[in-house]
Every structure is written in C-alpha cells, then in structure tokens.
C-alpha cells in the first residue's frame, strides 16, 4: 500500500471525515438508483451496509464515465466537481482540492485505480469510526509496533 498523501488545505483527520461522508453519499445514491431501476425483478435488496466500498467507487466511476473509456476526463467531472464544492463549510477545501488529489500523476484524467486510491478504500477509512473520543496517544501502541 502506498503511503497516505496529503491533500492541500485538508488536514488528515478532516480528509478522512470528508472521504467517509462522500462514501456514504455515494452509497445512498447507489441504493436510490438500484431501487428506481428495479422493475419487478427479484434482485437482492441493497442495503447501505452490505455494499463494499470498492464496489461503490466502481459504480460511481461508471456513472461519471459517460463515454465508457475507463477514464474520468475533465468534461465528465464538471457536475461532480460542482457537487463537491457545495459541501459543508468545514469540508469545502477538501472538496475543492479532491479531484486534484485524485489525479496522482497529474495527467488531467483519473483512472479507476487512482479513484479507488483517493477514496481511501485501500486504507480502510470506511470501516473505521469517524468520531473518536480518545485523546492523546494510543495506549496499546507499544504492543502494536513490530520489533
């Protein structure tokens, strides 16, 4: 796994919260669309907890990739970028810089691998709780460090 990159103007804890919230919104969209397109078929019901984060990201990529070339180009990202900018005041900078953060090689297109990586799927952000009440260093840290 690659080391976690910094997102300009978005501290790590705020970035994690932003990504968890964004994944939740994408899951909700996916569920709503699956309910709207189910025309009497007996497909298993999609619940927000049963869908794996990488499947949600692939679904969103497929939604955004209008020409189905496997890349997200600037023109395909316009509406998504506009939606990201409308986010809560606390995460506005994260939303503003998110797509630049996703384009790791700075080639103005986002591949599926880049999209999955920037959504934090490989870092298990989405299986962690966002609201931690513990302050200070992890008391079990000395047991977790490899010798």
């Amino acid at each position: 796994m690659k080391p976690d990159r910094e997102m300009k103007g978005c501290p790590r804890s705020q970035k994690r919260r932003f990504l968890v919230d964004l994944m939740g919104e994408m899951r909700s969209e996916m569920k709503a669309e699956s309910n709207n397109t189910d025309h009497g078929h007996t497909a298993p019901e999609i619940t927000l907890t049963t869908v794996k984060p990488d499947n949600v990201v692939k679904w969103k990529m497929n939604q955004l990739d209008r020409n189905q070339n496997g890349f997200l180009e600037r023109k395909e990202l316009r509406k998504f970028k506009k939606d990201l900018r409308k986010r809560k005041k606390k995460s506005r900078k994260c939303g503003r810089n998110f797509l630049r953060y996703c384009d790791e090689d700075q080639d103005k297109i986002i591949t599926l691998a880049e999209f999955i990586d920037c959504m934090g799927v490989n870092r298990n952000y989405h299986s962690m709780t966002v609201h931690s009440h513990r302050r200070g260093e992890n008391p079990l840290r000395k047991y977790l460090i490899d010798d």
Side-chain angles (χ1 to χ4, degrees):
M1 177 174 29
K2 299 177 201 172
D4 196 10
R5 295 179 293 127
E6 293 293 320
M7 187 187 306
K8 184 179 176 183
C10 186
R12 184 166 289 161
S13 61
Q14 197 172 341
K15 178 178 80 171
R16 187 173 123 199
R17 181 176 311 240
F18 171 80
L19 293 175
V20 170
D21 289 347
L22 184 59
M23 180 64 73
E25 291 172 16
M26 288 167 48
R27 271 192 174 120
S28 297
E29 280 181 47
M30 185 178 179
K31 180 177 169 53
E33 185 167 305
S34 72
N35 290 342
N36 289 340
T37 59
D38 184 26
H39 301 290
H41 295 61
T42 55
E45 185 178 332
I46 294 177
T47 62
L48 296 180
T49 55
T50 60
V51 182
K52 293 181 180 179
D54 57 331
N55 291 338
V56 175
V57 173
K58 288 174 186 174
W59 172 83
K60 187 63 174 179
M61 173 92 172
N62 192 39
Q63 293 293 308
L64 294 171
D65 188 14
R66 283 183 254 134
N67 61 5
Q68 300 298 310
N69 65 351
F71 304 110
L72 296 178
E73 299 161 349
R74 290 175 88 174
K75 63 183 177 190
E76 295 170 325
L77 292 169
R78 283 187 189 130
K79 186 180 181 321
F80 187 57
K81 190 174 186 177
K82 191 175 183 180
D83 292 342
L84 288 172
R85 287 184 179 158
K86 291 180 184 176
R87 301 190 52 82
K88 298 175 211 160
K89 189 169 186 151
K90 276 189 171 182
S91 62
R92 193 171 288 155
K93 280 191 177 182
C94 296
R96 190 180 316 140
N97 295 316
F98 177 68
L99 294 175
R100 269 184 252 140
Y101 170 76
C102 286
D103 189 13
E104 189 174 3
D105 56 6
Q106 304 298 310
D107 61 353
K108 305 269 195 255
I109 59 171
I110 298 172
T111 64
L112 178 61
E114 286 176 327
F115 200 46
I116 286 173
D117 186 52
C118 77
M119 284 296 298
V121 172
N122 299 331
R123 289 179 180 76
N124 290 328
Y125 285 162
H126 310 290
S127 64
M128 299 178 185
T129 59
V130 175
H131 306 288
S132 175
H133 297 290
R134 184 180 46 77
R135 300 281 185 223
E137 189 175 340
N138 184 345
L140 301 174
R141 185 178 175 98
K142 62 183 176 186
Y143 301 111
L144 298 173
I145 297 175
D146 292 333
D147 294 345

Short mmCIF file of all heavy atoms in Angstrom, two decimals, residues 90-135:
data_model
loop_
_atom_site.label_atom_id
_atom_site.label_comp_id
_atom_site.label_asym_id
_atom_site.label_seq_id
_atom_site.Cartn_x
_atom_site.Cartn_y
_atom_site.Cartn_z
N LYS A 90 -17.04 23.11 6.64
CA LYS A 90 -15.82 22.51 7.18
C LYS A 90 -15.04 21.73 6.14
O LYS A 90 -13.82 21.70 6.16
CB LYS A 90 -16.14 21.58 8.35
CG LYS A 90 -16.28 22.28 9.66
CD LYS A 90 -16.36 21.26 10.76
CE LYS A 90 -16.27 21.93 12.10
NZ LYS A 90 -16.30 20.99 13.18
N SER A 91 -15.72 21.08 5.22
CA SER A 91 -15.03 20.23 4.25
C SER A 91 -14.95 20.86 2.87
O SER A 91 -14.62 20.19 1.90
CB SER A 91 -15.71 18.87 4.16
OG SER A 91 -17.03 19.01 3.72
N ARG A 92 -15.21 22.16 2.76
CA ARG A 92 -15.21 22.82 1.46
C ARG A 92 -13.83 22.76 0.80
O ARG A 92 -13.71 22.51 -0.39
CB ARG A 92 -15.68 24.26 1.60
CG ARG A 92 -16.00 24.88 0.25
CD ARG A 92 -16.67 26.20 0.41
NE ARG A 92 -18.03 25.99 0.89
CZ ARG A 92 -18.73 26.89 1.57
NH1 ARG A 92 -18.20 28.05 1.88
NH2 ARG A 92 -19.94 26.63 1.95
N LYS A 93 -12.76 22.99 1.58
CA LYS A 93 -11.41 22.93 1.00
C LYS A 93 -11.07 21.51 0.55
O LYS A 93 -10.40 21.32 -0.46
CB LYS A 93 -10.37 23.43 2.00
CG LYS A 93 -10.30 24.92 2.07
CD LYS A 93 -9.09 25.35 2.85
CE LYS A 93 -9.00 26.86 2.83
NZ LYS A 93 -7.82 27.34 3.55
N CYS A 94 -11.52 20.54 1.30
CA CYS A 94 -11.29 19.15 0.89
C CYS A 94 -11.99 18.88 -0.44
O CYS A 94 -11.41 18.26 -1.33
CB CYS A 94 -11.80 18.19 1.95
SG CYS A 94 -10.96 18.29 3.54
N GLY A 95 -13.21 19.34 -0.57
CA GLY A 95 -13.96 19.16 -1.81
C GLY A 95 -13.34 19.88 -2.98
O GLY A 95 -13.29 19.36 -4.10
N ARG A 96 -12.83 21.07 -2.72
CA ARG A 96 -12.23 21.87 -3.78
C ARG A 96 -10.96 21.20 -4.32
O ARG A 96 -10.69 21.25 -5.51
CB ARG A 96 -11.90 23.27 -3.25
CG ARG A 96 -11.49 24.22 -4.33
CD ARG A 96 -11.16 25.60 -3.82
NE ARG A 96 -12.11 26.09 -2.85
CZ ARG A 96 -11.77 26.78 -1.75
NH1 ARG A 96 -10.51 27.04 -1.49
NH2 ARG A 96 -12.69 27.20 -0.92
N ASN A 97 -10.19 20.59 -3.46
CA ASN A 97 -8.91 20.00 -3.87
C ASN A 97 -8.98 18.50 -4.14
O ASN A 97 -7.98 17.89 -4.48
CB ASN A 97 -7.85 20.29 -2.81
CG ASN A 97 -7.57 21.76 -2.70
OD1 ASN A 97 -7.43 22.45 -3.70
ND2 ASN A 97 -7.52 22.27 -1.49
N PHE A 98 -10.14 17.93 -3.96
CA PHE A 98 -10.28 16.47 -4.04
C PHE A 98 -9.87 15.90 -5.40
O PHE A 98 -9.12 14.93 -5.47
CB PHE A 98 -11.72 16.07 -3.71
CG PHE A 98 -11.99 14.60 -3.83
CD1 PHE A 98 -11.40 13.72 -2.95
CD2 PHE A 98 -12.82 14.11 -4.82
CE1 PHE A 98 -11.63 12.35 -3.05
CE2 PHE A 98 -13.06 12.76 -4.93
CZ PHE A 98 -12.47 11.88 -4.04
N LEU A 99 -10.35 16.48 -6.49
CA LEU A 99 -10.06 15.91 -7.80
C LEU A 99 -8.58 16.06 -8.18
O LEU A 99 -8.01 15.18 -8.82
CB LEU A 99 -10.97 16.52 -8.87
CG LEU A 99 -12.45 16.16 -8.68
CD1 LEU A 99 -13.31 16.89 -9.68
CD2 LEU A 99 -12.67 14.66 -8.77
N ARG A 100 -7.95 17.15 -7.75
CA ARG A 100 -6.51 17.29 -7.97
C ARG A 100 -5.75 16.23 -7.17
O ARG A 100 -4.77 15.67 -7.64
CB ARG A 100 -6.03 18.69 -7.56
CG ARG A 100 -6.07 19.65 -8.71
CD ARG A 100 -5.51 20.98 -8.30
NE ARG A 100 -6.67 21.86 -8.22
CZ ARG A 100 -6.88 22.78 -7.31
NH1 ARG A 100 -5.99 23.01 -6.38
NH2 ARG A 100 -7.96 23.52 -7.33
N TYR A 101 -6.23 15.96 -5.98
CA TYR A 101 -5.64 14.93 -5.13
C TYR A 101 -5.80 13.55 -5.79
O TYR A 101 -4.88 12.73 -5.75
CB TYR A 101 -6.32 14.97 -3.77
CG TYR A 101 -6.00 13.82 -2.86
CD1 TYR A 101 -4.78 13.75 -2.20
CD2 TYR A 101 -6.93 12.82 -2.62
CE1 TYR A 101 -4.49 12.70 -1.34
CE2 TYR A 101 -6.66 11.77 -1.76
CZ TYR A 101 -5.43 11.72 -1.13
OH TYR A 101 -5.15 10.67 -0.28
N CYS A 102 -6.94 13.31 -6.41
CA CYS A 102 -7.18 12.01 -7.06
C CYS A 102 -6.26 11.79 -8.25
O CYS A 102 -5.82 10.66 -8.49
CB CYS A 102 -8.62 11.92 -7.55
SG CYS A 102 -9.82 11.69 -6.25
N ASP A 103 -5.97 12.83 -9.00
CA ASP A 103 -5.13 12.72 -10.19
C ASP A 103 -3.67 12.69 -9.77
O ASP A 103 -2.93 13.66 -9.93
CB ASP A 103 -5.41 13.88 -11.15
CG ASP A 103 -4.74 13.70 -12.49
OD1 ASP A 103 -4.27 12.58 -12.78
OD2 ASP A 103 -4.69 14.68 -13.24
N GLU A 104 -3.24 11.55 -9.28
CA GLU A 104 -1.91 11.41 -8.68
C GLU A 104 -0.79 11.73 -9.66
O GLU A 104 0.21 12.35 -9.31
CB GLU A 104 -1.74 10.00 -8.12
CG GLU A 104 -0.50 9.83 -7.31
CD GLU A 104 -0.44 8.46 -6.65
OE1 GLU A 104 -1.33 7.62 -6.86
OE2 GLU A 104 0.52 8.25 -5.90
N ASP A 105 -0.92 11.30 -10.92
CA ASP A 105 0.15 11.54 -11.90
C ASP A 105 -0.03 12.85 -12.66
O ASP A 105 0.75 13.15 -13.57
CB ASP A 105 0.28 10.36 -12.86
CG ASP A 105 -1.02 10.03 -13.58
OD1 ASP A 105 -2.00 10.78 -13.44
OD2 ASP A 105 -1.05 9.02 -14.30
N GLN A 106 -1.02 13.65 -12.30
CA GLN A 106 -1.26 14.98 -12.86
C GLN A 106 -1.39 14.98 -14.39
O GLN A 106 -0.94 15.91 -15.06
CB GLN A 106 -0.13 15.94 -12.45
CG GLN A 106 0.07 16.06 -10.94
CD GLN A 106 -1.15 16.60 -10.22
OE1 GLN A 106 -1.70 17.62 -10.62
NE2 GLN A 106 -1.59 15.93 -9.18
N ASP A 107 -2.07 13.96 -14.95
CA ASP A 107 -2.24 13.90 -16.40
C ASP A 107 -3.63 14.35 -16.85
O ASP A 107 -4.01 14.16 -17.99
CB ASP A 107 -1.95 12.48 -16.91
CG ASP A 107 -2.88 11.43 -16.34
OD1 ASP A 107 -3.69 11.76 -15.43
OD2 ASP A 107 -2.82 10.28 -16.79
N LYS A 108 -4.39 14.95 -15.94
CA LYS A 108 -5.72 15.52 -16.20
C LYS A 108 -6.80 14.48 -16.47
O LYS A 108 -7.90 14.81 -16.89
CB LYS A 108 -5.68 16.52 -17.37
CG LYS A 108 -4.69 17.63 -17.21
CD LYS A 108 -5.30 18.82 -16.55
CE LYS A 108 -4.43 20.03 -16.71
NZ LYS A 108 -3.70 20.42 -15.54
N ILE A 109 -6.50 13.20 -16.22
CA ILE A 109 -7.52 12.16 -16.26
C ILE A 109 -7.36 11.30 -15.01
O ILE A 109 -6.28 11.18 -14.46
CB ILE A 109 -7.44 11.27 -17.54
CG1 ILE A 109 -6.09 10.59 -17.66
CG2 ILE A 109 -7.77 12.05 -18.78
CD1 ILE A 109 -6.03 9.56 -18.77
N ILE A 110 -8.48 10.74 -14.55
CA ILE A 110 -8.47 9.92 -13.34
C ILE A 110 -8.83 8.49 -13.74
O ILE A 110 -9.90 8.25 -14.31
CB ILE A 110 -9.46 10.47 -12.30
CG1 ILE A 110 -9.03 11.88 -11.88
CG2 ILE A 110 -9.54 9.55 -11.09
CD1 ILE A 110 -10.02 12.59 -10.99
N THR A 111 -7.94 7.56 -13.44
CA THR A 111 -8.18 6.15 -13.73
C THR A 111 -8.95 5.54 -12.57
O THR A 111 -9.07 6.13 -11.50
CB THR A 111 -6.85 5.39 -13.91
OG1 THR A 111 -6.15 5.44 -12.67
CG2 THR A 111 -6.01 5.99 -15.03
N LEU A 112 -9.45 4.33 -12.78
CA LEU A 112 -10.17 3.63 -11.72
C LEU A 112 -9.25 3.41 -10.52
O LEU A 112 -9.65 3.61 -9.38
CB LEU A 112 -10.72 2.30 -12.22
CG LEU A 112 -11.44 1.44 -11.18
CD1 LEU A 112 -12.65 2.18 -10.61
CD2 LEU A 112 -11.88 0.12 -11.79
N ALA A 113 -8.01 3.02 -10.78
CA ALA A 113 -7.05 2.78 -9.68
C ALA A 113 -6.82 4.06 -8.88
O ALA A 113 -6.76 4.04 -7.65
CB ALA A 113 -5.74 2.25 -10.23
N GLU A 114 -6.68 5.20 -9.57
CA GLU A 114 -6.50 6.48 -8.88
C GLU A 114 -7.74 6.84 -8.06
O GLU A 114 -7.63 7.33 -6.94
CB GLU A 114 -6.21 7.60 -9.88
CG GLU A 114 -4.83 7.57 -10.48
CD GLU A 114 -4.61 8.63 -11.55
OE1 GLU A 114 -5.56 8.97 -12.28
OE2 GLU A 114 -3.47 9.11 -11.66
N PHE A 115 -8.92 6.58 -8.63
CA PHE A 115 -10.18 6.92 -7.94
C PHE A 115 -10.35 6.06 -6.69
O PHE A 115 -10.72 6.56 -5.63
CB PHE A 115 -11.35 6.75 -8.91
CG PHE A 115 -12.60 7.47 -8.52
CD1 PHE A 115 -12.57 8.79 -8.09
CD2 PHE A 115 -13.83 6.85 -8.60
CE1 PHE A 115 -13.73 9.46 -7.74
CE2 PHE A 115 -15.00 7.51 -8.26
CZ PHE A 115 -14.94 8.82 -7.83
N ILE A 116 -10.06 4.78 -6.80
CA ILE A 116 -10.15 3.88 -5.65
C ILE A 116 -9.17 4.31 -4.56
O ILE A 116 -9.50 4.37 -3.38
CB ILE A 116 -9.92 2.41 -6.07
CG1 ILE A 116 -11.14 1.89 -6.82
CG2 ILE A 116 -9.62 1.52 -4.86
CD1 ILE A 116 -10.97 0.52 -7.43
N ASP A 117 -7.94 4.64 -4.97
CA ASP A 117 -6.92 5.05 -4.01
C ASP A 117 -7.29 6.37 -3.32
O ASP A 117 -7.16 6.49 -2.11
CB ASP A 117 -5.56 5.18 -4.70
CG ASP A 117 -4.45 5.45 -3.73
OD1 ASP A 117 -4.32 4.70 -2.74
OD2 ASP A 117 -3.71 6.43 -3.94
N CYS A 118 -7.75 7.33 -4.08
CA CYS A 118 -8.04 8.64 -3.46
C CYS A 118 -9.29 8.59 -2.58
O CYS A 118 -9.44 9.42 -1.68
CB CYS A 118 -8.16 9.74 -4.52
SG CYS A 118 -9.68 9.78 -5.44
N MET A 119 -10.16 7.62 -2.79
CA MET A 119 -11.34 7.47 -1.93
C MET A 119 -11.00 6.77 -0.62
O MET A 119 -11.84 6.65 0.25
CB MET A 119 -12.44 6.69 -2.65
CG MET A 119 -13.19 7.48 -3.69
SD MET A 119 -14.11 8.88 -3.00
CE MET A 119 -15.26 8.06 -1.93
N GLY A 120 -9.76 6.32 -0.47
CA GLY A 120 -9.32 5.72 0.78
C GLY A 120 -9.76 4.28 0.96
O GLY A 120 -9.71 3.77 2.08
N VAL A 121 -10.19 3.62 -0.10
CA VAL A 121 -10.66 2.24 0.02
C VAL A 121 -9.53 1.33 0.50
O VAL A 121 -9.73 0.48 1.36
CB VAL A 121 -11.22 1.74 -1.34
CG1 VAL A 121 -11.52 0.26 -1.29
CG2 VAL A 121 -12.45 2.52 -1.70
N ASN A 122 -8.33 1.52 -0.01
CA ASN A 122 -7.19 0.67 0.37
C ASN A 122 -6.67 0.97 1.77
O ASN A 122 -5.87 0.23 2.30
CB ASN A 122 -6.06 0.83 -0.65
CG ASN A 122 -6.48 0.41 -2.03
OD1 ASN A 122 -7.34 -0.45 -2.18
ND2 ASN A 122 -5.91 1.02 -3.04
N ARG A 123 -7.11 2.06 2.35
CA ARG A 123 -6.65 2.45 3.69
C ARG A 123 -7.68 2.13 4.77
O ARG A 123 -7.52 2.50 5.91
CB ARG A 123 -6.32 3.93 3.71
CG ARG A 123 -5.08 4.23 2.92
CD ARG A 123 -4.76 5.69 2.91
NE ARG A 123 -3.55 5.90 2.13
CZ ARG A 123 -3.48 5.89 0.82
NH1 ARG A 123 -4.58 5.66 0.12
NH2 ARG A 123 -2.36 6.08 0.19
N ASN A 124 -8.77 1.47 4.41
CA ASN A 124 -9.83 1.08 5.34
C ASN A 124 -10.42 2.26 6.10
O ASN A 124 -10.83 2.13 7.24
CB ASN A 124 -9.33 0.02 6.33
CG ASN A 124 -9.08 -1.30 5.65
OD1 ASN A 124 -9.78 -1.64 4.70
ND2 ASN A 124 -8.10 -2.03 6.12
N TYR A 125 -10.46 3.44 5.49
CA TYR A 125 -11.09 4.58 6.14
C TYR A 125 -12.56 4.30 6.43
O TYR A 125 -13.11 4.78 7.40
CB TYR A 125 -11.02 5.82 5.24
CG TYR A 125 -9.69 6.50 5.16
CD1 TYR A 125 -9.42 7.37 4.12
CD2 TYR A 125 -8.71 6.30 6.11
CE1 TYR A 125 -8.21 8.01 4.03
CE2 TYR A 125 -7.49 6.93 6.02
CZ TYR A 125 -7.25 7.79 4.98
OH TYR A 125 -6.05 8.43 4.89
N HIS A 126 -13.18 3.53 5.58
CA HIS A 126 -14.63 3.37 5.64
C HIS A 126 -15.08 2.32 6.64
O HIS A 126 -16.26 2.20 6.91
CB HIS A 126 -15.16 3.09 4.24
CG HIS A 126 -14.63 4.09 3.27
ND1 HIS A 126 -15.02 5.40 3.27
CD2 HIS A 126 -13.67 3.99 2.32
CE1 HIS A 126 -14.35 6.07 2.34
NE2 HIS A 126 -13.53 5.23 1.75
N SER A 127 -14.14 1.57 7.20
CA SER A 127 -14.51 0.61 8.24
C SER A 127 -14.22 1.17 9.62
O SER A 127 -14.53 0.55 10.62
CB SER A 127 -13.75 -0.70 8.03
OG SER A 127 -12.36 -0.48 8.18
N MET A 128 -13.62 2.35 9.69
CA MET A 128 -13.29 2.98 10.97
C MET A 128 -14.41 3.91 11.39
O MET A 128 -15.16 4.40 10.57
CB MET A 128 -12.03 3.81 10.84
CG MET A 128 -10.81 3.07 10.46
SD MET A 128 -9.51 4.29 10.33
CE MET A 128 -8.19 3.31 9.72
N THR A 129 -14.48 4.17 12.66
CA THR A 129 -15.43 5.17 13.12
C THR A 129 -14.80 6.54 12.95
O THR A 129 -13.60 6.72 13.08
CB THR A 129 -15.79 4.97 14.60
OG1 THR A 129 -14.59 5.04 15.36
CG2 THR A 129 -16.47 3.64 14.83
N VAL A 130 -15.63 7.51 12.64
CA VAL A 130 -15.14 8.86 12.39
C VAL A 130 -15.00 9.64 13.69
O VAL A 130 -14.07 10.39 13.87
CB VAL A 130 -16.10 9.61 11.44
CG1 VAL A 130 -15.67 11.04 11.27
CG2 VAL A 130 -16.17 8.90 10.12
N HIS A 131 -15.90 9.44 14.61
CA HIS A 131 -15.94 10.25 15.82
C HIS A 131 -15.22 9.52 16.96
O HIS A 131 -15.82 8.79 17.72
CB HIS A 131 -17.39 10.55 16.22
CG HIS A 131 -18.15 11.16 15.10
ND1 HIS A 131 -17.95 12.45 14.69
CD2 HIS A 131 -19.10 10.66 14.29
CE1 HIS A 131 -18.75 12.72 13.68
NE2 HIS A 131 -19.46 11.65 13.42
N SER A 132 -13.94 9.74 17.08
CA SER A 132 -13.17 9.13 18.14
C SER A 132 -13.14 10.07 19.33
O SER A 132 -12.86 11.26 19.19
CB SER A 132 -11.76 8.85 17.65
OG SER A 132 -10.98 8.37 18.71
N HIS A 133 -13.41 9.55 20.51
CA HIS A 133 -13.43 10.38 21.72
C HIS A 133 -12.12 10.28 22.48
O HIS A 133 -11.91 11.01 23.44
CB HIS A 133 -14.60 9.98 22.62
CG HIS A 133 -15.92 10.23 21.97
ND1 HIS A 133 -16.39 11.49 21.76
CD2 HIS A 133 -16.84 9.38 21.46
CE1 HIS A 133 -17.59 11.42 21.16
NE2 HIS A 133 -17.87 10.15 20.96
N ARG A 134 -11.23 9.37 22.08
CA ARG A 134 -9.97 9.21 22.77
C ARG A 134 -9.05 10.35 22.40
O ARG A 134 -8.94 10.74 21.26
CB ARG A 134 -9.33 7.88 22.39
CG ARG A 134 -8.05 7.59 23.15
CD ARG A 134 -7.43 6.27 22.77
NE ARG A 134 -7.36 6.01 21.36
CZ ARG A 134 -6.47 6.55 20.52
NH1 ARG A 134 -5.59 7.39 20.96
NH2 ARG A 134 -6.47 6.23 19.26
N ARG A 135 -8.38 10.89 23.39
CA ARG A 135 -7.40 11.96 23.17
C ARG A 135 -6.01 11.42 23.49
O ARG A 135 -5.84 10.61 24.38
CB ARG A 135 -7.69 13.16 24.07
CG ARG A 135 -9.04 13.77 23.86
CD ARG A 135 -9.01 14.64 22.63
NE ARG A 135 -10.30 15.32 22.49
CZ ARG A 135 -10.93 15.45 21.36
NH1 ARG A 135 -10.42 14.98 20.27
NH2 ARG A 135 -12.07 16.08 21.31
#
